[in-house]
Amino acid sequence: MDEVVGAPPINPLLSRFDQMFPVLSAAELKRVSAFGAPRSFSAGERLLETGRQAPGMVVILSGHVAISQRDGLGHVSPVVDLGPGQFVGEVGQLSGRASLVDADAEEDVEAIILQPDRLRGLLVAEADLGERITRALILRRVGLIQSGVGGPLILGAPDLPDVTRLKGFLARNGLPHHHVDPANDPEAARLIEASPGCVRDLPWVVLADGAILHNPPEAELARRMGVAGAVSSSTLYDVAIVGAGPAGLATAVYAASEGLSVAVLDARAYGGQAGASARIENYLGFPTGISGNALAGRAFVQAQKFGADILIPVEVTSLDCRKEDGFFRLELEGGEQVSARSVVIASGARYRRPSIPELPNFEGKGVWYWASPVEANLSSGREVVVVGGGNSAGQAAVYLSGAASKVHMLVRGSGLAETMSRYLVDRIAATPNIELHTRTELSGLAGTSGSLERVRLRNNATGTETEHDIRHVFLFVGAEPATGWLADCGVDMDRPGFVATGASPHGHLATSVPGVFAVGDVRSGSVKRVGGAIGEGAQVVAALHAYLSGTAQSTA
């Protein structure tokens, strides 16, 4: 059991083989077996199938299993061959999500199956072994994403707004996928030509089983892929957290690790605005920096490791605070409900939309509120505009400068020093293709065929306006709290609409409604920084314990 049994990975992108596919010793297998149940598979039997719920993590005792990725056009890409002492699975098995790969027994196989709850129990109980397994599960998901061959296949021209929307959704949720332009791919073109004319509007998403979704909403895509969390109306959670940004994920990690039953709900993706940051360099403990998506992805896995139920994409439409049966009820889009003994508001804030009449016509069609690799690829070799003087704008400008031919950065003030961290100010000044336009704002947008083509800039010092042929604008201006879903609850807010806290015996993060707390950017007076949001997520757990213990005593 001391030598690697599996062959080297066929996919060259799957690096760090020993960490991704460790071989467990006989003693470690004995410890693992206490958390699982034995299972036999015959030669040729499929252990896991892409798109179908996985039974859990499969630990191989004897025999060999072939792992492969498959797309909806029937393309199969071998990944790796696993043997005795190795295990089949990736991070999706922590929460019982659908498999992202096929796993086939190459001969008779004896194995141990660890169902999700038992797998989580192993990771917590066996610290050293759990660390090795967790690292392997994470690296495997990263490898599947980097391979660029499996998962849903998006068909459509790369500049279609809905292609960008779908790619962004899958990328920000860490889900493997790939994109094909039918204009350059004969096989994809033939598939489209063979379809009835009434359904040829692109983009399409072709799933691994061959099913075709026509420009699906994110919720439908996640559900059909088997990666959306299941909403249970019969489960009563200790705490429901609305928002999976840094504050919400921090709350989930600390609350779940301390034994509370936790549900996290988010309408789009984990990470919030921070998840779209290309590089955060002033977060404690990461001297070389870390991308927002990587930081959020680690917290996402960590929360699941401790048993938090993360439901994405799920939109909360209202919060019922009447507690007629003693509990809060969150109403979800589609009519479902989630019940909880307490609620943490971590829904964050959205960047403010400037008062430009044409703006709604170009959102998602050249106007963006984040700068991920998807948008950076669209901007490659082009001039772009970044609006804003805060850290998020600075991070976006530096990141986009690596792809764009020129970045025009617009700020209303006389400079960046008063609103941006010094390291970013210096980096922007040192980047030759970033041009800072002070006392300047975006005053107009124009385009045809539903895509942005030109922008108009106004210099407020001189009153002059200029037009530029620019197709991509990135807005990082101000903040509008995401609190519309709280309208019927009676939670007090300040004038701009941020949640007011501190007027309660349950601490400075408690709202005016007992049992409802607020953390992160959505809270009035909060420090709008990733570190501040994470700190508040940790702090609120003590208040949750105090509140929940008090309600338990009052009902005893």
Side-chain angles (χ1 to χ4, degrees):
M1 289 293 178
D2 293 328
E3 296 180 0
V4 175
V5 177
I10 297 173
N11 188 328
L13 291 175
L14 300 185
S15 59
R16 295 195 278 183
F17 181 78
D18 290 344
Q19 293 185 55
M20 294 181 74
F21 304 105
V23 180
L24 306 183
S25 67
E28 289 172 330
L29 287 173
K30 184 176 181 180
R31 286 150 60 189
V32 168
S33 65
F35 292 85
R39 174 79 183 273
S40 299
F41 298 91
S42 302
E45 188 174 351
R46 178 154 285 178
L47 286 72
L48 304 180
E49 183 174 354
T50 304
R52 295 188 177 275
Q53 185 176 16
M57 190 177 82
V58 182
V59 182
I60 304 169
L61 300 178
S62 65
H64 284 77
V65 176
I67 309 298
S68 59
Q69 286 182 276
R70 171 167 51 91
D71 71 15
L73 298 182
H75 302 141
V76 176
S77 301
V79 175
V80 69
D81 177 87
L82 299 177
Q86 296 179 295
F87 51 88
V88 181
E90 51 84 42
V91 293
Q93 276 59 77
L94 287 172
S95 54
R97 299 297 202 265
S99 177
L100 301 177
V101 298
D102 292 334
D104 298 292
E106 297 182 294
E107 54 189 322
D108 289 347
V109 170
E110 296 296 327
I112 300 169
I113 304 290
L114 279 72
Q115 295 183 351
D117 61 332
R118 301 298 291 162
L119 172 58
R120 297 193 299 267
L122 168 67
L123 300 184
V124 173
E126 298 279 355
D128 293 340
L129 181 56
E131 180 184 351
R132 291 176 61 203
I133 293 173
T134 301
R135 181 184 297 112
L137 299 179
I138 293 172
L139 289 174
R140 291 177 185 188
R141 174 64 70 90
V142 172
L144 293 175
I145 294 170
Q146 291 179 342
S147 70
V149 295
L153 172 63
I154 301 173
L155 299 181
D159 57 352
L160 282 177
D162 283 310
V163 167
T164 303
R165 173 180 63 84
L166 293 167
K167 289 171 65 177
F169 169 73
L170 294 170
R172 291 192 64 183
N173 282 288
L175 296 170
H177 63 282
H178 59 298
H179 165 247
V180 168
D181 184 353
N184 302 321
D185 188 289
E187 186 176 11
R190 286 194 296 271
L191 175 65
I192 294 170
E193 288 299 322
S195 70
C198 61
V199 294
R200 290 186 185 175
D201 289 340
L202 299 179
W204 291 1
V205 178
V206 186
L207 302 182
D209 62 1
I212 298 176
L213 308 181
H214 301 283
N215 195 18
E218 288 93 336
E220 180 186 357
L221 175 57
R223 180 180 59 80
R224 293 291 297 271
M225 289 176 62
V227 296
V231 176
S232 173
S233 58
S234 61
T235 301
L236 174 63
Y237 293 96
D238 289 323
V239 56
I241 303 165
V242 182
L249 290 174
T251 305
V253 168
Y254 286 100
S257 68
E258 295 184 14
L260 299 181
S261 59
V262 176
V264 183
L265 306 95
D266 197 285
R268 179 167 172 78
Y270 61 77
Q273 288 183 353
S277 296
R279 182 170 297 276
I280 302 170
E281 295 193 52
N282 60 348
Y283 187 69
L284 184 69
F286 294 91
T288 61
I290 185 171
S291 73
N293 188 256
L295 181 64
R298 295 180 185 190
F300 175 71
V301 173
Q302 197 173 13
Q304 292 178 91
K305 168 186 169 181
F306 290 120
D309 287 342
I310 300 185
L311 310 177
I312 299 175
V314 172
E315 183 170 358
V316 178
T317 58
S318 66
L319 174 61
D320 185 348
C321 295
R322 293 174 297 176
K323 300 180 65 175
E324 294 179 342
D325 53 1
F327 311 116
F328 295 100
R329 293 196 183 278
L330 293 93
E331 304 289 339
L332 312 181
E333 188 176 48
E336 296 175 297
Q337 292 183 334
V338 169
S339 300
R341 297 170 62 200
S342 63
V343 174
V344 174
I345 304 166
S347 46
R350 295 179 290 262
Y351 290 113
R352 184 170 54 79
R353 287 160 169 78
S355 300
I356 301 174
E358 306 90 354
L359 182 63
N361 299 331
F362 299 111
E363 291 180 317
K365 303 172 185 178
V367 172
W368 316 102
Y369 296 91
W370 52 82
S372 75
V374 175
E375 292 77 34
N377 288 336
L378 291 174
S379 305
S380 180
R382 301 175 180 269
E383 294 190 16
V384 304
V385 167
V386 173
V387 182
N391 277 10
S392 294
Q395 290 163 354
V398 170
Y399 174 62
L400 291 168
S401 69
S405 61
K406 188 171 186 177
V407 178
H408 298 270
M409 192 168 188
L410 314 185
V411 295
R412 287 189 171 187
S414 58
L416 299 173
E418 294 183 0
T419 58
M420 188 178 294
S421 295
R422 188 72 230 178
Y423 81 93
L424 280 171
V425 175
D426 293 342
R427 186 161 300 166
I428 288 168
T431 305
N433 64 332
I434 298 180
E435 181 179 351
L436 179 63
H437 301 259
T438 59
R439 305 190 189 281
T440 302
E441 63 182 319
L442 184 69
S443 59
L445 303 167
T448 58
S449 303
S451 295
L452 180 65
E453 295 178 356
R454 295 182 306 282
V455 302
R456 188 167 64 253
L457 312 182
R458 178 188 298 119
N459 185 310
N460 291 327
T462 64
T464 59
E465 290 194 335
T466 57
E467 286 201 357
H468 303 259
D469 292 332
I470 288 178
R471 294 177 174 269
H472 296 283
V473 171
F474 298 84
L475 300 177
F476 301 92
V477 181
E480 294 178 345
T483 53
W485 58 282
L486 293 169
D488 298 328
C489 181
V491 170
D492 288 345
M493 301 182 192
D494 65 11
R495 182 171 296 179
F498 291 90
V499 178
T501 60
S504 165
H506 294 292
H508 73 287
L509 300 176
T511 72
S512 58
V513 176
V516 179
F517 302 82
V519 294
D521 289 358
V522 74
R523 189 178 71 83
S524 178
S526 65
V527 178
K528 306 301 190 275
R529 288 285 192 271
V530 171
I534 292 173
E536 290 190 2
Q539 292 176 46
V540 77
V541 175
L544 287 169
H545 279 299
Y547 170 77
L548 292 172
S549 63
T551 57
Q553 292 173 5
S554 65
T555 57

